[in-house]
Amino acid sequence: MEPRRYLADPLLTFATNAFESLNVPVPDAALWADTLVRSDLRGHASHGIFRLPWYIRRLQRGVMQPTTELETVRDTAAVALLDAHDGVGQVAADAAMGLAIERARSFGIAAVSVRRSNHFGAAMYFTLKAAQAGLIGMITTNASPAMAPWGGRQALIGNNPWSIAAPAGRYAPLILDIANTMVARGKIYTARQEGRAIPTGWAIDRDGRPTTDPVEALAGLVLPIGGHKGYAISFMMDVLSGILSGSEFASGVAGPYQAERESGCGHLVIVLNIEAFIGLDEFTTRVEQLIDEVKAAPLAPGSEEIFYPGEPEARAEAANLRNGLVLPEATVADLTALADELGIAHPFAG
């Protein structure tokens, strides 16, 4: 039997209504919901609508504020520091990206740091906005402890994801969006929702043994990419995101699935105005040449096509907008229960 598919618009309306029911302002609720559904559309269910109950619990417990009151702490032309006062991470990150885009157009480069924020979902959502504006965007964030420092056995360092996006001319934008662990912890949660094993090499259990059980993995440690290199990159992302902003870092950061305390995470947004360097037309022509050359490379055995960063997501979004999304049964059950609790309509009946 074909799995049931859900169109994006009803899911977007449902998530927006859920946030509004807890006093999130309408524009912020719509943005927040869009970040979740857009992640599902782009093939990253790990940051999709299945996270909605986590965010709702944080709002209900008061560790995240429904209204995001951004305070400008410092403003020196191309550089700014914002305090989100425990507001919505997606709203804070979007505002920081918008400000950085505006300042980069004036100064050629801009950096906006955010302190006391919250988990902001998929980083690519924000850097894509810069690319679509003809600029290069980068965003970093720190996260709750997921990996041990290299040589240690206690989770102290987050996976601290980062993203870079750039326009690509006739191609969909270039987008890099990675965590510094072998996999974002959200993908392990997704595997748990779907009732499937995870690949060997993603995580170890609490006793330090390799595991393919997502439940054991979530109780243990996620492994860094590239061994000590992934740990070192994540360490430095904590410096850029948490320490530089004056926010929390390492064990001081709480994750979106923790409803008992403030997140304390920080972000850093950097935007480059391509026109201040070689000009947008020359840049995109050269990017197109790079993509053409890479995609024309001889294929390795078992490969059917070479993709550039961001291409699989662009294809997934087009297909999922056309065909609808498949959600795990556990996710549908969780969202249905949440809708009943909040007293809002939902698209999961029938």
Side-chain angles (χ1 to χ4, degrees):
M1 189 172 88
E2 281 291 315
R4 181 176 176 183
R5 294 182 175 272
Y6 299 90
L7 295 178
D9 283 348
L11 293 175
L12 185 61
T13 298
F14 164 65
T16 301
N17 290 341
F19 291 134
E20 284 185 56
S21 74
L22 291 174
N23 301 316
V24 177
V26 174
D28 294 355
L31 169 72
W32 199 355
D34 190 54
T35 65
L36 299 179
V37 176
R38 193 68 53 183
S39 294
D40 280 314
L41 288 171
R42 295 183 70 83
H44 291 278
S46 59
H47 289 71
I49 198 168
F50 102 94
R51 287 178 176 248
L52 179 60
W54 296 355
Y55 292 127
I56 293 297
R57 298 294 172 242
R58 290 184 59 77
L59 287 170
Q60 289 173 328
R61 294 287 292 273
V63 297
M64 179 164 55
Q65 301 307 309
T67 300
T68 305
E69 298 181 352
L70 286 168
E71 174 191 0
T72 301
V73 180
R74 295 190 179 184
D75 188 343
T76 54
V79 176
L81 170 62
L82 308 177
D83 191 322
H85 293 287
D86 300 313
V88 178
Q90 286 85 344
V91 175
D94 190 69
M97 179 58 73
L99 179 59
I101 288 173
E102 175 189 325
R103 297 295 175 86
R105 292 197 187 282
S106 298
F107 301 107
I109 185 172
V112 179
S113 188
V114 183
R115 67 168 57 154
R116 289 203 293 173
S117 186
N118 269 281
H119 184 271
F120 62 34
M124 72 174 71
Y125 183 89
F126 309 102
T127 56
L128 180 58
K129 291 193 171 189
Q132 290 171 334
L135 308 166
I136 296 174
M138 176 177 177
I139 192 168
T140 76
T141 187
N142 59 2
S144 59
M147 73 169 85
W150 192 248
R153 58 188 179 90
Q154 178 186 356
L156 287 175
I157 304 294
N159 61 15
N160 300 346
W162 49 293
S163 174
I164 302 174
R170 70 178 187 274
Y171 291 103
L174 297 169
I175 306 177
L176 167 72
D177 184 350
I178 60 171
N180 300 304
T181 43
M182 287 296 293
V183 66
R185 194 170 357 186
K187 293 188 183 298
I188 300 177
Y189 277 105
T190 301
R192 187 189 68 179
Q193 290 289 96
E194 296 174 353
R196 57 178 171 82
I198 61 172
T200 301
W202 277 15
I204 54 177
D205 65 19
R206 68 184 72 203
D207 296 319
R209 297 171 300 194
T211 183
T212 60
D213 183 337
V215 175
E216 292 294 328
L218 291 168
L221 295 170
V222 188
L223 297 173
I225 56 171
H228 66 283
K229 297 179 181 179
Y231 153 67
I233 294 171
S234 215
F235 189 104
M236 295 307 296
M237 291 300 168
D238 214 354
V239 172
L240 293 177
S241 306
I243 290 180
L244 183 65
S245 68
S247 203
E248 298 294 337
F249 54 90
S251 60
V253 181
Y257 43 85
Q258 297 170 287
E260 66 276 8
R261 64 188 178 99
E262 290 83 2
S263 170
C265 73
H267 321 309
L268 176 64
V269 174
I270 297 174
V271 174
L272 303 176
N273 186 347
I274 297 167
E275 290 290 356
F277 293 84
I278 63 172
L280 182 59
D281 289 343
E282 182 178 356
F283 177 85
T284 54
T285 296
R286 289 165 63 83
V287 169
E288 289 172 353
Q289 292 171 348
L290 172 61
I291 293 173
D292 290 341
E293 183 175 348
V294 167
K295 291 180 72 66
L299 294 175
S303 296
E304 297 181 357
E305 185 178 359
I306 293 171
F307 299 99
Y308 67 87
E311 185 177 11
E313 288 82 1
R315 292 191 184 185
E317 183 173 21
N320 287 326
L321 279 171
R322 183 174 59 250
N323 301 323
L325 291 161
V326 176
L327 300 176
E329 290 183 7
T331 296
V332 172
D334 289 346
L335 295 176
T336 302
L338 180 68
D340 293 341
E341 174 192 336
L342 298 176
I344 62 173
H346 63 80
F348 309 113

